[in-house]
Structure formats: C-alpha cells, structure tokens
Amino acid sequence: MLSQCPPAQYPPLDKLIGTDGAVTPQSAPVLDPKEAAANARVWGLLLSAGKKRKPRKGKS
C-alpha cells in the first residue's frame, strides 16, 4: 500500500511499529542441554522414519 503514495506522505515509523523510539532487546530463552539433545534425537528418529516408509499404492 505504501508504494501507491509518495514517500512524503508515509506515516512515521514509530507510529507503524508502535514504539516510542526505545528498542528493548529480548533475551533468548535459556535451554537445558539435556532437553535440547533429547529433542534433536527425537527429530532425527522422526526424519529417518519418514525416509524408510514406503509410499502407499493406489494413492497419488
């Protein structure tokens, strides 16, 4: 929509994104290494099971 009007009529960026100019960085959540390893193992099993599965006959 902004491409249809001249740049002089653009609304201020602060109004568009809803901030008053102050940017507050959000910290990443702290992950448990054991939980992350277990999740990776499960994803690996899921992906390898999908590769081994034979396609059904009769369905395209």
Side-chain angles (χ1 to χ4, degrees), residues 28-49:
V30 178
L31 298 176
D32 179 25
K34 290 182 181 180
E35 183 181 356
N39 288 342
R41 217 173 303 125
V42 170
W43 274 106
L45 290 172
L46 179 69
L47 293 174
S48 66

Side-chain angles (χ1 to χ4, degrees), residues 2-53:
L2 286 177
S3 65
Q4 298 175 358
C5 65
Q9 294 180 349
Y10 286 1
L13 183 61
D14 293 341
K15 186 175 180 181
L16 289 176
I17 60 174
T19 63
D20 57 354
V23 178
T24 55
Q26 295 177 350
S27 62
V30 178
L31 298 176
D32 179 25
K34 290 182 181 180
E35 183 181 356
N39 288 342
R41 217 173 303 125
V42 170
W43 274 106
L45 290 172
L46 179 69
L47 293 174
S48 66
K51 289 181 182 178
K52 294 178 185 176
R53 183 181 234 184

